[in-house]
Amino acid sequence: MPKIGVEQSLSDVSSALQEKGYEVVQLKNENDAQGCDCCVVTGQDSNVMGISNVVTAGSVIEASGMTAEEICQQVESKINR
């Protein structure tokens, strides 16, 4: 089962992904993203200090402006490549 990291404030996305059978973990810090097949973030904290460390080999989806269903579709397309 794919493991999806979701930022805490995106609870509707977490619920939608769980309904589709994904294992969802909350992203509270960068260590939570390790081992995730895909991560969903708000993009609000995007590179605030000019530092970008890669902590996951999976895809990262920025959720701004998308509905929970659109995000689920993005996750499915990234994982099923």
Side-chain angles (χ1 to χ4, degrees):
M1 175 185 332
K3 184 176 174 184
I4 313 299
V6 180
E7 217 170 278
Q8 285 181 293
S9 60
L10 299 170
S11 57
D12 57 332
V13 175
S14 294
S15 299
L17 289 168
Q18 286 172 333
E19 285 176 19
K20 292 183 179 286
Y22 292 104
E23 177 185 352
V24 176
V25 295
Q26 284 194 346
L27 298 177
K28 298 174 191 158
N29 59 51
E30 68 181 37
N31 293 333
D32 295 334
Q34 293 178 348
C36 289
D37 298 296
C38 186
C39 292
V40 181
V41 297
T42 59
Q44 293 174 345
D45 300 338
S46 169
N47 205 7
V48 173
M49 298 180 64
I51 301 168
S52 57
N53 298 330
V54 177
V55 294
T56 180
S59 300
V60 176
I61 297 169
E62 192 173 316
S64 59
M66 295 196 306
T67 66
E69 185 56 37
E70 289 171 328
I71 293 167
C72 288
Q73 290 170 0
Q74 287 280 319
V75 167
E76 288 169 359
S77 71
K78 302 272 186 200
I79 289 177
N80 296 324
R81 284 191 178 169

